[in-house]
Amino acid sequence: MTLDAALADRIRQTPKAELHVHIEGTLEPELIFRLAQHNKVKLPYASVEALREAYAFTDLQSFLDIYYAGASVLLTEDDFFDMTMAYVQRAVADNVRHAEIFFDPQTHTERGVPIHVVIDGISDALAQARTQYDFSSSLILCFLRHLSEEDAFATLEAALPYRDRFVGIGLDSSEQGNPPEKFARVFARARELGLHLVAHAGEEGPAQYVTDALDILKVERIDHGVRAIDDPALVERLARERVALTVCPLSNQKLKVYPDLRDHSLHRLLEAGVLVTLHSDDPAYFGGYMNANWEAAFEALPLTAADGHKLARNSFEASFLPASQKTAFLAEVDHFWQSPLPAAASTA
Ligand code: ADE
Ligand code: ZN
């Protein structure tokens, strides 16, 4: 399917919120090599090209192995700052107005990088982005689910002195064999602390993991969740309870969840009334940032301008922004979609 030029223009230009991006997944190969040289970290790849060639993933684990190797070059506050600022600039170019950004402290503390280096570097960049680009953002601390719950507890404890720098916790890494219930107690503790809760579920794992993330972890949003489509009662529940699924089309394609995007469940989920949102996940690894993901979805699936408006609204609706800011962004989205197309775009 070819995407109508005027609609393509609209989806690129609409104000949008990014709710599913791993900051370590925005590390471009050029920056990986620059930091490796500067920090004298040895990489198992001879060049930027050789690294890029290794981005031929067969499943989630084949990606995670390379993603953790890439993140091993991050050592100093400046490294985290530069990575974050590079992401912000790309997001701004795609008309992302607000981002809720995942970071994986255990990937760094395991290598001896203190958690304050990670948090200070990322949050200093986001503070600068707020004034320089009027870019709104918050951070979500993710636990690596292939590690133990005890390790997650220790990470939460170590992060608590910086409680004001993040709004929630998430759960990522290898889904198969690491079900939501493994982290029941640490999520309960985070809930007591007033943190927002999200979790990756139903990416490679079954629809049951989506149900368990809701019932056991009590998460407010599900990251990916595309396999919910296998359980019609769950789809109905997601729609009824207005639970957002933060869907990442290019990620799902590259990790072979949906090798052909024309088969992707997002259109069916949207039609069933589920609050679907579109995001980039690990854009440096999967071939594109926000607009590339939106374009890929609209090219592959019979999505309309009304869907574009809805997806943009959903992204702010599902955010953890305070009500007043949410309302302001939603008004901006509505104004954008209700305005006539500029002449050049409408005749293109
Ligand atoms: N960490 C970074 N990207 C991820 C993904 N798509 N699934 C699980 N963990 C991740
Ligand atoms: Zn993810």
Side-chain angles (χ1 to χ4, degrees), residues 238-239 242-246 269-270 273-277 311 313-315 317-318:
L238 293 170
R242 303 287 290 154
V243 176
L245 302 186
T246 65
L269 291 163
L270 203 58
V274 177
L275 205 156
V276 172
T277 59
L311 286 162
R313 284 195 118 258
N314 286 355
S315 71
E317 187 75 55

Side-chain angles (χ1 to χ4, degrees), residues 47-318:
S47 63
V48 166
E49 293 68 35
L51 177 58
R52 269 225 167 80
E53 269 167 35
Y55 294 0
F57 311 116
T58 49
D59 58 9
L60 175 58
Q61 193 58 50
S62 68
F63 155 68
L64 290 170
D65 294 342
I66 292 181
Y67 164 81
Y68 295 129
S72 72
V73 301
L74 295 160
L75 291 187
T76 68
E77 239 176 83
D78 280 353
D79 301 343
F80 287 93
F81 183 99
D82 291 350
M83 168 178 68
T84 305
M85 200 46 98
Y87 164 68
V88 166
Q89 285 161 354
R90 289 181 183 260
V92 167
D94 283 359
N95 296 300
V96 173
R97 303 290 312 281
H98 171 72
E100 298 180 358
I101 300 172
F102 296 140
F103 69 112
D104 288 342
Q106 287 155 298
T107 301
H108 315 297
T109 52
E110 262 196 332
R111 300 179 289 113
V113 178
I115 197 163
H116 73 84
V117 167
V118 181
I119 296 179
D120 284 342
I122 300 172
S123 55
D124 283 0
L126 295 179
Q128 186 175 317
R130 192 172 295 273
T131 47
Q132 195 173 344
Y133 301 110
D134 191 24
F135 187 75
S136 158
S137 64
S138 54
L139 284 174
I140 296 177
L141 182 160
C142 280
F143 301 124
L144 299 180
R145 70 202 302 159
H146 66 272
L147 300 178
S148 67
E149 186 181 48
E150 199 185 355
D151 208 317
F153 261 116
T155 303
L156 180 59
E157 202 58 43
L160 283 184
Y162 313 96
R163 168 69 184 85
D164 59 326
R165 312 275 193 95
F166 56 100
V167 297
I169 58 147
L171 187 63
D172 62 6
S173 193
S174 325
E175 187 180 10
Q176 308 261 33
N178 294 298
E181 64 260 31
K182 181 175 164 186
F183 295 91
R185 283 157 303 172
V186 74
F187 268 68
R189 175 74 189 122
R191 193 159 178 252
E192 279 171 8
L193 291 166
L195 287 156
H196 285 292
L197 310 177
V198 301
H200 283 53
E203 178 185 15
E204 277 189 347
Q208 185 62 44
Y209 282 16
V210 175
T211 301
D212 292 347
L214 293 172
D215 292 340
I216 301 173
L217 303 185
K218 311 230 179 288
V219 299
E220 298 156 80
R221 295 195 301 244
I222 298 283
D223 297 311
H224 295 293
V226 294
R227 293 210 41 205
I229 200 75
D230 300 336
D231 178 348
L234 173 60
V235 172
E236 245 177 67
R237 175 188 178 182
L238 293 170
R240 192 173 59 246
E241 296 181 5
R242 303 287 290 154
V243 176
L245 302 186
T246 65
V247 172
C248 307
L250 290 174
S251 165
N252 294 156
Q253 184 180 40
K254 294 291 183 321
L255 302 188
K256 315 291 184 205
V257 174
Y258 288 105
D260 186 338
L261 279 184
R262 289 173 298 185
D263 301 326
H264 202 289
S265 58
L266 83 89
H267 184 244
R268 284 168 284 158
L269 291 163
L270 203 58
E271 297 249 287
V274 177
L275 205 156
V276 172
T277 59
L278 295 185
H279 311 288
S280 69
D281 206 6
D282 302 286
Y285 292 89
F286 300 146
Y289 288 74
M290 272 289 262
N291 281 353
N293 275 275
W294 280 60
E295 282 166 36
F298 276 76
E299 259 161 29
L301 297 161
L303 294 164
T304 63
D307 293 321
H309 185 177
K310 186 185 287 176
L311 286 162
R313 284 195 118 258
N314 286 355
S315 71
F316 291 104
E317 187 75 55

Side-chain angles (χ1 to χ4, degrees), residues 17-35:
E18 168 104 282
L19 307 179
H20 186 161
V21 60
H22 302 260
I23 199 65
E24 295 88 351
T26 70
L27 204 45
E28 292 285 342
E30 289 77 10
L31 186 53
I32 291 180
F33 267 82
R34 180 154 71 74
L35 295 178

